Amino acid sequence: MAASSTKAKAISNALPLPCLPGAPQTTAPCPDKRGTLIACIMGSSLAFVVGSIVNVALPQMQADFAVGPTGAQWIVNSYLLPLGALVLLGGAMGDHYGRKRMFRAGLLVFAAACALCALAWSFPVFLAARVLEGLGAALLAPASLAIIADAFTGKERGRAVGTWAGAGAAAGALAPVAGGVIVDLAGWRWAFAAIVPIALAAYAIAGQSVRESRAAEDDCAALDWTGAGLITLGLLALIWGLIALPAQGATAPTLGALALGVAACGAFLAVEAQKGPRAMVPLGLFTDRTFSGLSGFTFLLYAALGGLLLLLPYILIQSLGFSSTAAGAAILPFPAILALASRYTGGALSDQFGPRVMLTVGAALVALGFGLFTRVPATDVSYTLHILPALVVLALGMSASVAPLTSAVLASAGDDHVGVASGINNAVSRIGGLVATALLGVVLLSSDLLVSFALAAWVGVALAGASAAMAWVTVRPAVA
């Protein structure tokens, strides 16, 4: 079972397993399995859809609200910040209060947030709605795979998880194009409005089909409200400081925010250390060299990738004159190759070569892909010559990395910590993207976006190269 859920989680980049999903405690009769699977697929796909819509609609939203590069960064990070900071707490709440309850609550919050995004009459209101979206995703996403694990057993569970993962990958591939079409034809507000009925339909289906389940008391993750508050404050202060730094410089407010962020994150670590194994983030896991190295690998690789997935459609639209639809179609090869190739890299290839080799080679390919992006000229850019080859190499590199990464993380943590290890690794990936977006102000403020994009690609080369080295040095051959 662990192998099946590991592979699926990697392919779809789903959010974490809330607890060890092998032995949930159910409090209702047998579920409607078909309806359960449909509801979980619809709910967990929402995060992919929203992210893709924002990527292709960002220039239009920025123009409508008359905000500069800083505003564009907050459009993205106001969603990623609560999602990255609170997803572990959301999983623990599902363990304690019921996965079905948290899943449906997250869907309602998400639907309300999307409606508010569509109706937002000011930029602050829009940002508040994006924060609500992140909160909704932090509630519903951790529960979706745990609900499937409760509803299905044996080989049937493997097929269900594979279907769930494949549908998530398909959503990730189709959402940029579908979102671009809606943005071009009706405007970005309608793209958010279109998500509302999907979320409400998933809520209704879940109400009829999903049975309630909770984790066994001994396996439950802690409800660490203090830790969640501290890490949220720390990330908020750090991200605000990093976004403000390029435009405002080293002013007292900027440096004060950065200092506050560091202090709050330090206090978070102190609280987690005091709680020991009952912490939201058990620091004892990081005493394992492989787990620590894989966490660093994840942060570096997803920071590089998160910056690219935001910046590339922005460049295509703003500098190369692509429509939102065309920009979504231009990015399509990346998720399409990732969805198709991950099945094989997470299976036969990973079994043959082991995670250590796969992660090193995959990250090296990602670095090569970023290297190809450094060749994008300042004028006369050709998508076929300058963009597509780099996207293909990046997709192959990520395909070789994602599934083996999850396998290595779970193997290094051991069976007793499989859920929390998966959650920590996924949260680290979200925070990596969050920090990358905060640092993109240097590029977005540039008068020549294409030149700055090529320079930013060198940062991607460095980050991916460092992650390759970290994988080779820290992942034990025994894990492979």
Side-chain angles (χ1 to χ4, degrees), residues 13 26 33 64 283 288 293-294 323 354 357 405 439:
N13 193 28
T26 58
K33 295 181 179 180
D64 282 0
L283 299 183
D288 182 90
L294 290 171
S323 66
V357 172
L405 171 61
L439 293 173

Side-chain angles (χ1 to χ4, degrees), residues 285 288 291 407-422 476:
L285 284 173
D288 182 90
F291 185 83
S407 300
V409 167
L410 300 185
S412 67
D415 292 342
D416 291 340
H417 297 98
V418 61
V420 71
S422 176
R476 291 186 298 267

Side-chain angles (χ1 to χ4, degrees), residues 120-457:
W121 52 92
S122 69
F123 191 58
V125 172
F126 179 76
L127 291 185
R130 291 284 287 159
V131 170
L132 285 177
E133 279 184 340
L135 291 173
L139 290 176
L140 72 91
S144 62
L145 188 55
I147 288 172
I148 292 175
D150 169 60
F152 298 88
T153 58
K155 293 181 179 180
E156 192 178 48
R157 178 185 290 170
R159 289 193 296 270
V161 171
T163 302
W164 172 83
L174 297 176
V177 180
V181 170
I182 296 174
V183 169
D184 281 336
L185 295 180
W188 64 266
R189 294 180 183 272
W190 283 102
F192 281 101
I195 297 174
V196 176
I198 300 174
L200 294 179
Y203 177 87
I205 295 171
Q208 295 295 320
S209 304
V210 176
R211 70 177 173 187
E212 189 57 279
S213 66
R214 294 176 175 84
E217 184 176 351
D218 292 341
D219 292 332
C220 273
L223 284 177
D224 188 358
W225 299 104
T226 303
L230 285 171
I231 192 61
T232 302
L233 174 62
L235 289 174
L236 176 61
L238 284 173
I239 296 308
W240 187 91
L242 292 174
I243 289 177
L245 192 61
Q248 298 183 16
T251 61
T254 301
L255 295 178
L258 293 174
L260 174 61
V262 171
C265 290
F268 166 75
L269 293 176
V271 167
E272 299 305 284
Q274 186 178 24
K275 289 179 177 290
R278 299 298 297 170
M280 182 172 68
V281 179
L283 299 183
L285 284 173
F286 292 92
T287 60
D288 182 90
R289 176 185 175 186
T290 296
F291 185 83
S292 296
L294 290 171
S295 297
F297 174 93
T298 301
F299 180 86
L300 293 171
L301 194 65
Y302 279 86
L305 186 65
L308 172 78
L309 292 180
L310 170 65
L311 197 56
L312 183 56
Y314 190 88
I315 295 292
L316 292 174
I317 294 170
Q318 294 289 79
S319 296
L320 302 182
F322 281 48
S323 66
S324 296
T325 303
I331 300 168
L332 182 60
F334 180 84
I337 293 173
L338 183 61
L340 293 173
S342 290
R343 177 180 178 183
Y344 301 100
T345 58
L349 287 178
S350 186
D351 292 340
Q352 181 177 355
F353 296 106
R356 185 190 191 196
V357 172
M358 294 296 294
L359 293 177
T360 303
V361 172
L365 283 173
V366 172
L368 176 60
F370 276 107
L372 294 177
F373 273 125
T374 66
R375 298 166 56 86
V376 173
T379 57
D380 300 325
V381 177
S382 166
Y383 172 79
T384 304
L385 293 177
H386 302 124
I387 305 295
L388 181 59
L391 273 180
V392 171
V393 174
L394 275 171
L396 292 174
M398 288 303 296
S399 299
S401 302
V402 176
L405 171 61
T406 307
S407 300
V409 167
L410 300 185
S412 67
D415 292 342
D416 291 340
H417 297 98
V418 61
V420 71
S422 176
I424 290 171
N425 187 255
N426 201 280
V428 167
S429 72
R430 304 289 179 177
I431 293 170
L434 182 69
V435 172
T437 305
L439 293 173
L440 284 179
V442 176
V443 178
L444 298 177
L445 286 168
S446 172
S447 58
D448 193 329
L449 286 174
L450 285 173
V451 171
S452 296
F453 176 71
L455 293 175

